[in-house]
Amino acid sequence: MNTRDTSLQILQQVFGYSSYRQPQQQIIDTLVRGEDALVLMPTGGGKSLCYQIPALLRSGVGIVISPLIALMQDQVAALRQAGVAAGALNSALSAEEDARMRTLLRNGELQLLYVAPERLMTSGFQSLLQQIDIALFAIDEAHCVSQWGHDFRPEYIQLSALHENFPGVPRVALTATADELTRREIIQRLKLERARHFISGFDRPNIRYRVSDDSSNARQQLLRFIQLNYAQQAGIVYCLSRRKVEDTAIWLQKQGIQALPYHAGMSQQDRANHQDRFLREDGVVMVATIAFGMGIDKPDVRFVVHMNLPKSLEAYYQETGRAGRDGEPAEALLFYNLQDVITLRQFVEQSDADELHKRIETQKLERMLGYCELTSCRRQALLAYFGDVQKEACGNCDTCLNPPETWDGTVAAQKALSCVHHTGQRFGVNYLIDVLLGKNNERIQRFGHDRVSTFGIGTELDQKQWRSLFRQLIAQGYLAVDQEGHGGLRLSESCRPLLRGEVRLQLRRLQKEKSGKLRKQRT
Ligand code: ADP
Ligand code: ZN
């Protein structure tokens, strides 16, 4: 019998499943052949089998490195139930249990061993491993090696030594959260240059992605969105600040929506209570900061709304992924505006992270903005960010359903940039727009800006359109926001070719009037 048949037999007889999901079989083949693999699959995608089955197929014990003791225990219990000789080594063990586990390991009596990274890398354990037969190393939650990620664990850095200490043993790194940057870091730090990549399962076809670039009356839009499409249905509304969470929840309640607030500033008891009601009752709308959602598994969340811009596409993907777990149609709606861009940039600038870290955070934010301002399929862009390339546009996002109009904003952009220049590169958007529109207010007169050449040259656009244009100039890096927190804008080096007309700026037309947009779109 060839290994494929044997592997299928194990899948059916040990794990009780009839067939593999894509691309479990190929991953297993790769490891059985002794090659390395990098596996990106969302949570619930079925990563565990990808190393459990090859560990059973190869001789020796499969070593699984996992940072989460609770998950480790669950997996070991499930494997033992299925008749697999599995064990775990972590700080939860007593000295006797620890010694017993090591004896089993030395005697070759284990098929799978789960180890916390700090245990694995002790010299005692490394030399024990040198004496036994090892089937493979599986590095779970591999994004923990990324210094830029929020789950960074210094112990993971040392795992690069596995490659030197055990050159002949195949290694597989697995994670659910990996943008291109993190992926590159995993490969580099874990020495996985030769690993085959398997990226799959990130698409959530039942979620319709929508972005509204008009947040001037976002609350009203939110209310209409819920009333028209999702009355009495469960949803999550994310806000950036605790204050906005409170305000929005109270306001929705007054409008007759069953809304509850959730943020880290509330008492433990209130939070638990609201979470419980969200899970148990029908049609609760949770208005929350990003503190809410981790580990929440409610299948029938029909919508996730972001009242503010998330700080990265990973965050956005993770948060919107809480909608429609049951596979039924669900919707992700995002409102974004210039103020959020400025606020988030300032968060980054004012954090005490080092320069490189700040640059990376800024890049992530740029990608998020780029996503908002897309004129092509949102799902394609979102999946491409995770390395999952889709050939076809999805047909289930706002840009697919209502292709946006674009316009050549080059001349307007030149006027805006020139206005920034002539007013001394220190004023914020609202002021600059007043100058462009020729508003003769006291402040403008005081600074003498009613006499600059750009005063009143921008009447072809209205205030809203100018705001959108400035937003895109910032998003594309032509304008930089000052770091003192006043929102003052200055020209970046990169705006020269645009000023000279060597590059053109294609812009998304502002959604005309939103009334038509948020009408029920389902048929
Ligand atoms: P991940 O580690 O990617 O979050 P798991 O390995 O825990 O995901 O798998 C998620 C669920 O899918 C588990 O309940 C698992 O038993 C199930 N599963 C995995 N592979 C298959 C398969 N080929 N057929 C049926 N169910 C599967
Ligand atoms: Zn699309």
Coordinates of all heavy atoms in Angstrom, one line a residue, residues 121-198:
M121 N 13.7 24.2 24.2 CA 15.0 24.7 23.9 C 16.0 24.6 25.1 O 17.1 25.0 24.9 CB 14.9 26.2 23.4 CG 14.1 26.3 22.1 SD 14.3 25.1 20.8 CE 16.0 25.5 20.3
T122 N 15.6 24.0 26.2 CA 16.6 23.8 27.3 C 17.6 22.8 26.8 O 17.3 21.9 26.0 CB 15.9 23.3 28.5 OG1 15.3 22.0 28.2 CG2 14.9 24.2 29.1
S123 N 18.8 23.0 27.3 CA 19.9 22.1 26.7 C 19.7 20.7 27.1 O 19.9 19.8 26.3 CB 21.3 22.6 27.2 OG 21.3 22.6 28.6
G124 N 19.1 20.4 28.3 CA 18.8 19.1 28.7 C 17.9 18.4 27.7 O 18.1 17.3 27.3
F125 N 16.8 19.1 27.3 CA 15.8 18.5 26.5 C 16.4 18.4 25.0 O 16.1 17.4 24.4 CB 14.6 19.4 26.5 CG 13.4 18.6 25.9 CD1 12.9 17.5 26.5 CD2 12.8 19.0 24.7 CE1 11.8 16.8 26.0 CE2 11.8 18.3 24.1 CZ 11.2 17.3 24.8
Q126 N 17.2 19.3 24.6 CA 17.8 19.2 23.3 C 18.7 18.0 23.2 O 18.7 17.3 22.2 CB 18.6 20.5 23.0 CG 17.7 21.7 22.6 CD 17.1 21.6 21.3 OE1 17.7 21.5 20.3 NE2 15.7 21.6 21.3
S127 N 19.4 17.7 24.3 CA 20.3 16.5 24.1 C 19.5 15.2 24.2 O 19.9 14.2 23.6 CB 21.5 16.6 25.2 OG 20.9 16.6 26.5
L128 N 18.4 15.3 25.0 CA 17.5 14.1 25.0 C 17.0 13.8 23.6 O 17.0 12.7 23.1 CB 16.4 14.4 25.9 CG 15.5 13.2 26.4 CD1 14.7 13.5 27.6 CD2 14.5 12.7 25.3
L129 N 16.6 14.9 22.9 CA 16.1 14.8 21.6 C 17.1 14.2 20.6 O 16.8 13.5 19.7 CB 15.5 16.1 21.0 CG 14.3 16.7 21.6 CD1 13.8 18.0 21.0 CD2 13.1 15.7 21.5
Q130 N 18.4 14.6 20.9 CA 19.4 14.1 20.0 C 19.5 12.6 20.0 O 20.0 11.9 19.1 CB 20.8 14.7 20.4 CG 20.9 16.2 20.1 CD 21.0 16.5 18.7 OE1 21.0 15.7 17.8 NE2 21.0 17.8 18.4
Q131 N 19.1 12.0 21.1 CA 19.2 10.5 21.3 C 18.0 9.7 20.7 O 18.1 8.5 20.7 CB 19.4 10.2 22.8 CG 20.6 10.8 23.4 CD 20.4 10.9 24.9 OE1 19.8 10.1 25.5 NE2 20.9 12.0 25.5
I132 N 17.0 10.4 20.3 CA 15.8 9.6 19.8 C 15.5 9.9 18.4 O 16.1 10.8 17.8 CB 14.6 9.9 20.7 CG1 14.2 11.4 20.6 CG2 14.9 9.5 22.2 CD1 12.9 11.7 21.2
D133 N 14.6 9.1 17.9 CA 14.1 9.3 16.5 C 13.0 10.3 16.4 O 12.0 10.1 17.1 CB 13.6 7.9 16.0 CG 13.5 7.8 14.5 OD1 14.0 8.7 13.8 OD2 12.9 6.8 14.1
I134 N 13.1 11.3 15.6 CA 12.1 12.3 15.5 C 11.5 12.3 14.1 O 12.1 12.4 13.1 CB 12.7 13.7 15.8 CG1 13.3 13.7 17.2 CG2 11.6 14.8 15.7 CD1 14.0 15.0 17.5
A135 N 10.1 12.3 14.1 CA 9.4 12.2 12.8 C 9.4 13.6 12.2 O 9.6 13.7 11.0 CB 8.0 11.7 13.1
L136 N 9.1 14.6 13.0 CA 9.0 16.0 12.4 C 8.8 17.0 13.6 O 8.6 16.6 14.7 CB 7.7 16.1 11.5 CG 6.3 15.8 12.1 CD1 5.7 16.9 12.9 CD2 5.4 15.4 10.9
F137 N 9.1 18.2 13.2 CA 8.8 19.3 14.2 C 7.6 20.1 13.6 O 7.7 20.6 12.4 CB 10.0 20.3 14.3 CG 11.1 19.7 15.1 CD1 12.3 19.3 14.5 CD2 11.0 19.6 16.5 CE1 13.3 18.8 15.2 CE2 12.0 19.0 17.3 CZ 13.2 18.6 16.6
A138 N 6.6 20.4 14.4 CA 5.5 21.2 13.9 C 5.5 22.5 14.8 O 5.4 22.4 16.1 CB 4.1 20.5 14.1
I139 N 5.6 23.6 14.2 CA 5.7 24.9 15.0 C 4.3 25.5 14.8 O 4.0 26.1 13.8 CB 6.8 25.7 14.5 CG1 8.1 25.0 14.6 CG2 6.9 27.0 15.3 CD1 9.3 25.5 13.9
D140 N 3.5 25.4 15.9 CA 2.1 25.9 15.8 C 2.2 27.4 16.2 O 3.1 27.8 16.9 CB 1.2 25.1 16.7 CG -0.2 25.1 16.2 OD1 -0.5 25.7 15.2 OD2 -1.1 24.6 16.9
E141 N 1.2 28.1 15.7 CA 1.1 29.6 16.0 C 2.4 30.3 15.7 O 3.0 31.0 16.4 CB 0.8 29.8 17.5 CG -0.3 29.1 18.1 CD -1.7 29.5 17.6 OE1 -1.8 30.6 17.0 OE2 -2.7 28.7 17.7
A142 N 2.9 29.9 14.5 CA 4.2 30.4 14.1 C 4.4 31.9 14.0 O 5.5 32.4 14.1 CB 4.6 29.8 12.7
H143 N 3.3 32.6 13.9 CA 3.4 34.1 13.9 C 3.9 34.6 15.2 O 4.3 35.8 15.2 CB 2.0 34.7 13.6 CG 1.0 34.3 14.6 ND1 0.4 33.1 14.6 CD2 0.6 35.0 15.7 CE1 -0.5 33.1 15.7 NE2 -0.3 34.2 16.3
C144 N 4.0 33.8 16.2 CA 4.5 34.3 17.5 C 6.0 34.6 17.4 O 6.6 35.2 18.3 CB 4.4 33.2 18.6 SG 2.7 32.9 19.1
V145 N 6.6 34.2 16.3 CA 8.0 34.5 16.1 C 8.2 36.0 15.5 O 9.3 36.5 15.5 CB 8.7 33.5 15.1 CG1 8.3 33.8 13.6 CG2 10.2 33.4 15.3
S146 N 7.1 36.6 15.1 CA 7.1 37.9 14.5 C 7.2 39.0 15.5 O 6.3 39.2 16.3 CB 5.9 38.1 13.6 OG 5.8 39.5 13.3
Q147 N 8.2 39.8 15.5 CA 8.4 40.9 16.4 C 7.4 42.0 16.2 O 7.2 42.8 17.0 CB 9.8 41.4 16.4 CG 10.8 40.4 16.9 CD 12.1 41.0 17.1 OE1 12.8 41.3 16.2 NE2 12.5 41.1 18.3
W148 N 6.8 42.0 15.0 CA 5.9 43.1 14.7 C 4.5 42.7 15.0 O 3.6 43.5 15.1 CB 5.9 43.4 13.2 CG 7.3 43.5 12.7 CD1 7.9 42.8 11.7 CD2 8.4 44.3 13.2 NE1 9.2 43.1 11.6 CE2 9.5 44.0 12.5 CE3 8.4 45.2 14.3 CZ2 10.7 44.6 12.8 CZ3 9.7 45.8 14.5 CH2 10.8 45.5 13.8
G149 N 4.2 41.4 15.2 CA 2.9 40.9 15.5 C 2.5 41.2 17.0 O 3.4 41.5 17.8
H150 N 1.3 41.1 17.3 CA 0.9 41.4 18.7 C 1.1 40.2 19.6 O 0.9 40.2 20.8 CB -0.6 41.9 18.8 CG -1.5 41.3 17.7 ND1 -1.9 40.0 17.8 CD2 -1.9 41.8 16.6 CE1 -2.6 39.7 16.7 NE2 -2.6 40.8 16.0
D151 N 1.4 39.0 19.0 CA 1.6 37.8 19.8 C 3.1 37.4 20.0 O 3.4 36.2 20.2 CB 0.9 36.6 19.2 CG -0.6 36.7 19.3 OD1 -1.1 37.3 20.3 OD2 -1.4 36.1 18.5
F152 N 3.9 38.3 19.8 CA 5.4 38.0 19.8 C 5.8 37.3 21.1 O 5.4 37.7 22.2 CB 6.2 39.3 19.7 CG 7.7 39.0 19.8 CD1 8.3 38.1 18.9 CD2 8.4 39.7 20.7 CE1 9.7 37.9 19.0 CE2 9.8 39.4 20.9 CZ 10.4 38.5 20.0
R153 N 6.5 36.2 20.9 CA 7.0 35.4 22.1 C 8.5 35.2 21.9 O 8.9 34.5 20.9 CB 6.4 34.1 22.2 CG 4.9 34.2 22.7 CD 4.2 32.9 22.7 NE 2.8 33.2 22.9 CZ 2.2 32.9 24.0 NH1 2.8 32.3 25.0 NH2 0.9 33.2 24.2
P154 N 9.3 35.8 22.7 CA 10.8 35.7 22.5 C 11.3 34.3 22.4 O 12.2 34.1 21.7 CB 11.4 36.4 23.8 CG 10.2 37.2 24.4 CD 8.9 36.6 23.9
E155 N 10.7 33.4 23.1 CA 11.2 32.0 23.1 C 11.1 31.4 21.7 O 11.9 30.5 21.3 CB 10.3 31.0 23.9 CG 9.8 31.5 25.3 CD 8.5 32.3 25.2 OE1 7.4 31.8 25.1 OE2 8.7 33.5 25.2
Y156 N 10.2 32.0 20.9 CA 10.1 31.5 19.5 C 11.3 31.7 18.6 O 11.6 31.0 17.7 CB 8.8 32.0 18.8 CG 7.6 31.1 18.9 CD1 7.1 30.8 20.1 CD2 7.1 30.5 17.7 CE1 6.0 29.9 20.2 CE2 6.1 29.6 17.8 CZ 5.5 29.3 19.0 OH 4.4 28.4 19.1
I157 N 12.0 32.8 19.0 CA 13.2 33.2 18.2 C 14.2 32.0 18.2 O 14.8 31.7 17.2 CB 13.8 34.5 18.7 CG1 12.8 35.6 18.6 CG2 15.1 34.8 18.1 CD1 12.7 36.2 17.3
Q158 N 14.3 31.4 19.4 CA 15.3 30.3 19.5 C 15.0 29.1 18.6 O 15.9 28.3 18.4 CB 15.4 29.9 20.9 CG 15.9 30.9 21.9 CD 15.7 30.5 23.3 OE1 15.8 29.3 23.6 NE2 15.3 31.4 24.2
L159 N 13.8 29.0 18.2 CA 13.4 27.8 17.4 C 14.2 27.7 16.1 O 14.2 26.7 15.5 CB 11.9 27.8 17.1 CG 11.0 27.7 18.3 CD1 9.6 27.8 17.9 CD2 11.3 26.5 19.1
S160 N 14.9 28.8 15.7 CA 15.7 28.7 14.5 C 16.8 27.6 14.7 O 17.3 27.1 13.7 CB 16.3 30.0 14.2 OG 17.3 30.4 15.1
A161 N 17.2 27.4 15.9 CA 18.2 26.4 16.2 C 17.8 25.0 15.8 O 18.7 24.1 15.6 CB 18.6 26.4 17.7
L162 N 16.5 24.7 15.7 CA 16.1 23.4 15.3 C 16.7 23.0 14.0 O 17.0 21.8 13.7 CB 14.6 23.3 15.2 CG 13.8 23.4 16.6 CD1 12.3 23.4 16.3 CD2 14.2 22.3 17.5
H163 N 16.8 23.9 13.1 CA 17.3 23.7 11.8 C 18.7 23.2 11.8 O 19.1 22.3 11.1 CB 17.1 25.0 10.9 CG 17.9 25.0 9.7 ND1 17.6 24.2 8.6 CD2 19.0 25.7 9.3 CE1 18.4 24.4 7.6 NE2 19.3 25.3 8.0
E164 N 19.5 23.8 12.7 CA 20.9 23.4 12.8 C 21.1 22.1 13.6 O 21.8 21.3 13.2 CB 21.7 24.5 13.5 CG 22.0 25.7 12.6 CD 21.4 27.0 13.2 OE1 21.7 27.3 14.4 OE2 20.7 27.7 12.5
N165 N 20.3 22.0 14.7 CA 20.5 20.8 15.5 C 19.9 19.6 14.9 O 20.4 18.5 15.2 CB 19.8 21.1 16.9 CG 20.4 22.2 17.6 OD1 21.4 22.8 17.2 ND2 19.8 22.6 18.8
F166 N 18.9 19.7 14.1 CA 18.2 18.5 13.5 C 18.0 18.7 12.0 O 16.9 18.8 11.5 CB 16.9 18.3 14.2 CG 17.0 18.2 15.6 CD1 16.8 19.3 16.5 CD2 17.3 16.9 16.2 CE1 16.9 19.2 17.8 CE2 17.4 16.8 17.6 CZ 17.2 17.9 18.4
P167 N 19.1 18.8 11.2 CA 19.0 19.2 9.8 C 18.2 18.2 9.0 O 17.5 18.6 8.0 CB 20.5 19.2 9.3 CG 21.2 18.5 10.4 CD 20.5 18.6 11.7
G168 N 18.1 17.0 9.4 CA 17.4 16.0 8.6 C 15.9 15.9 8.9 O 15.2 15.1 8.3
V169 N 15.4 16.6 9.9 CA 14.0 16.4 10.4 C 13.1 17.5 9.7 O 13.4 18.7 9.8 CB 13.9 16.5 11.9 CG1 12.5 16.4 12.4 CG2 14.8 15.5 12.6
P170 N 12.1 17.1 9.0 CA 11.2 18.1 8.4 C 10.5 18.9 9.4 O 10.2 18.5 10.5 CB 10.2 17.2 7.6 CG 10.2 15.9 8.2 CD 11.6 15.7 8.8
R171 N 10.3 20.2 9.0 CA 9.6 21.1 9.9 C 8.5 21.8 9.2 O 8.5 22.1 8.0 CB 10.6 22.2 10.3 CG 11.7 21.7 11.3 CD 12.8 22.7 11.4 NE 13.3 23.1 10.2 CZ 13.6 24.4 9.8 NH1 13.5 25.4 10.7 NH2 14.1 24.7 8.6
V172 N 7.4 21.9 9.9 CA 6.2 22.6 9.4 C 5.8 23.7 10.3 O 5.7 23.5 11.5 CB 5.0 21.6 9.1 CG1 4.7 20.8 10.4 CG2 3.8 22.4 8.6
A173 N 5.7 25.0 9.8 CA 5.2 26.1 10.6 C 3.8 26.4 10.2 O 3.4 26.4 9.0 CB 6.1 27.3 10.3
L174 N 2.9 26.6 11.2 CA 1.5 26.8 10.9 C 1.0 28.0 11.6 O 1.4 28.3 12.7 CB 0.7 25.6 11.4 CG 1.2 24.2 11.0 CD1 1.9 23.5 12.2 CD2 0.0 23.3 10.5
T175 N 0.2 28.7 10.9 CA -0.5 29.9 11.5 C -1.8 30.3 10.8 O -2.0 29.9 9.7 CB 0.5 31.1 11.5 OG1 -0.2 32.3 12.0 CG2 0.9 31.5 10.1
A176 N -2.6 31.0 11.5 CA -3.9 31.5 11.0 C -3.8 33.0 10.6 O -4.6 33.5 9.9 CB -5.0 31.3 12.0
T177 N -2.8 33.7 11.1 CA -2.7 35.1 10.9 C -1.4 35.4 10.3 O -0.4 35.5 11.0 CB -2.8 35.9 12.2 OG1 -1.9 35.3 13.1 CG2 -4.2 36.0 12.7
A178 N -1.3 35.6 9.0 CA 0.0 36.0 8.4 C -0.2 36.8 7.2 O -0.6 36.3 6.1 CB 0.8 34.8 8.2
D179 N 0.1 38.1 7.2 CA 0.2 38.9 6.1 C 1.5 38.6 5.5 O 2.4 37.9 6.0 CB 0.0 40.3 6.4 CG 1.0 40.7 7.4 OD1 0.9 40.3 8.6 OD2 2.0 41.5 7.1
E180 N 1.8 39.3 4.4 CA 3.1 39.0 3.7 C 4.3 39.3 4.5 O 5.3 38.5 4.5 CB 3.1 39.8 2.4 CG 4.1 39.4 1.4 CD 4.2 40.3 0.3 OE1 3.1 40.8 -0.2 OE2 5.3 40.7 -0.1
L181 N 4.2 40.3 5.3 CA 5.3 40.7 6.1 C 5.6 39.7 7.2 O 6.8 39.3 7.4 CB 4.9 42.0 6.8 CG 6.0 43.1 7.0 CD1 6.5 43.6 5.7 CD2 5.4 44.3 7.8
T182 N 4.6 39.2 7.9 CA 4.8 38.2 8.9 C 5.3 36.9 8.3 O 6.2 36.2 8.8 CB 3.4 37.9 9.6 OG1 2.8 39.2 9.8 CG2 3.7 37.2 10.9
R183 N 4.7 36.6 7.1 CA 5.1 35.4 6.4 C 6.6 35.4 6.2 O 7.4 34.5 6.4 CB 4.4 35.3 5.1 CG 4.0 33.9 4.7 CD 3.2 34.0 3.4 NE 2.3 35.1 3.3 CZ 2.0 35.7 2.2 NH1 2.5 35.2 1.0 NH2 1.1 36.7 2.1
R184 N 7.1 36.6 5.7 CA 8.5 36.7 5.4 C 9.4 36.5 6.6 O 10.4 35.9 6.6 CB 8.8 38.0 4.7 CG 8.8 37.9 3.2 CD 9.3 39.2 2.6 NE 8.2 40.1 2.3 CZ 8.3 41.4 2.4 NH1 9.4 42.0 2.8 NH2 7.3 42.2 2.0
E185 N 8.8 37.1 7.7 CA 9.6 37.0 9.0 C 9.6 35.6 9.5 O 10.7 35.1 10.0 CB 8.9 37.9 10.0 CG 9.9 38.6 10.9 CD 9.3 39.4 11.9 OE1 8.1 39.9 11.7 OE2 9.9 39.6 13.0
I186 N 8.5 34.8 9.4 CA 8.5 33.4 9.8 C 9.6 32.7 9.0 O 10.4 31.9 9.6 CB 7.1 32.8 9.6 CG1 6.1 33.5 10.5 CG2 7.2 31.3 9.8 CD1 4.7 33.0 10.3
I187 N 9.6 32.9 7.7 CA 10.5 32.1 6.9 C 12.0 32.4 7.3 O 12.8 31.5 7.4 CB 10.3 32.5 5.4 CG1 8.9 31.9 4.9 CG2 11.4 31.9 4.5 CD1 8.4 32.5 3.6
Q188 N 12.2 33.7 7.4 CA 13.6 34.1 7.8 C 14.0 33.7 9.1 O 15.1 33.1 9.3 CB 13.6 35.6 7.6 CG 15.0 36.2 7.8 CD 14.9 37.5 8.7 OE1 13.9 38.2 8.6 NE2 15.9 37.8 9.5
R189 N 13.2 33.9 10.1 CA 13.6 33.5 11.5 C 13.6 32.0 11.8 O 14.4 31.6 12.6 CB 12.7 34.2 12.5 CG 12.8 35.7 12.5 CD 12.3 36.3 13.8 NE 12.2 37.7 13.7 CZ 13.3 38.5 13.9 NH1 14.4 38.0 14.3 NH2 13.2 39.8 13.7
L190 N 12.7 31.3 11.1 CA 12.7 29.9 11.4 C 13.5 29.1 10.3 O 13.5 27.9 10.3 CB 11.3 29.3 11.4 CG 10.4 29.9 12.6 CD1 9.0 29.3 12.5 CD2 11.0 29.6 13.9
K191 N 14.2 29.8 9.5 CA 15.0 29.2 8.4 C 14.2 28.3 7.6 O 14.5 27.1 7.4 CB 16.2 28.5 9.1 CG 17.0 29.3 10.0 CD 18.3 29.8 9.3 CE 19.2 30.7 10.1 NZ 18.8 31.2 11.3
L192 N 13.1 28.8 7.0 CA 12.2 27.9 6.2 C 12.3 28.3 4.8 O 11.3 28.2 4.0 CB 10.8 28.0 6.8 CG 10.5 27.2 8.0 CD1 9.2 27.6 8.7 CD2 10.6 25.7 7.8
E193 N 13.5 28.8 4.3 CA 13.6 29.2 2.9 C 13.2 28.2 1.9 O 12.7 28.5 0.8 CB 15.0 29.7 2.6 CG 15.4 31.0 3.2 CD 15.8 30.9 4.7 OE1 15.9 29.8 5.2 OE2 16.1 32.0 5.3
R194 N 13.4 26.9 2.3 CA 13.1 25.9 1.3 C 11.7 25.3 1.5 O 11.3 24.3 0.8 CB 14.1 24.8 1.4 CG 15.4 25.4 0.8 CD 16.7 24.7 1.1 NE 16.7 23.4 0.5 CZ 17.7 22.5 0.7 NH1 18.7 22.9 1.4 NH2 17.8 21.4 0.1
A195 N 10.9 25.8 2.4 CA 9.6 25.2 2.7 C 8.6 25.5 1.5 O 8.7 26.5 0.9 CB 9.0 25.9 4.0
R196 N 7.8 24.5 1.3 CA 6.7 24.7 0.4 C 5.6 25.5 1.1 O 5.3 25.3 2.2 CB 6.1 23.4 -0.1 CG 7.1 22.7 -1.1 CD 6.4 21.5 -1.8 NE 5.1 21.9 -2.5 CZ 4.3 21.1 -3.0 NH1 4.5 19.8 -2.9 NH2 3.2 21.5 -3.6
H197 N 4.9 26.4 0.3 CA 3.9 27.2 0.9 C 2.5 26.7 0.6 O 2.2 26.3 -0.5 CB 4.0 28.7 0.4 CG 5.2 29.3 0.8 ND1 5.4 30.7 0.7 CD2 6.4 28.8 1.3 CE1 6.6 31.0 1.1 NE2 7.3 29.9 1.5
F198 N 1.7 26.7 1.6 CA 0.3 26.3 1.5 C -0.6 27.3 2.1 O -0.7 27.4 3.3 CB 0.0 24.9 2.1 CG 0.8 23.8 1.5 CD1 2.1 23.5 2.1 CD2 0.4 23.1 0.4 CE1 2.8 22.4 1.5 CE2 1.2 22.1 -0.2 CZ 2.4 21.8 0.4

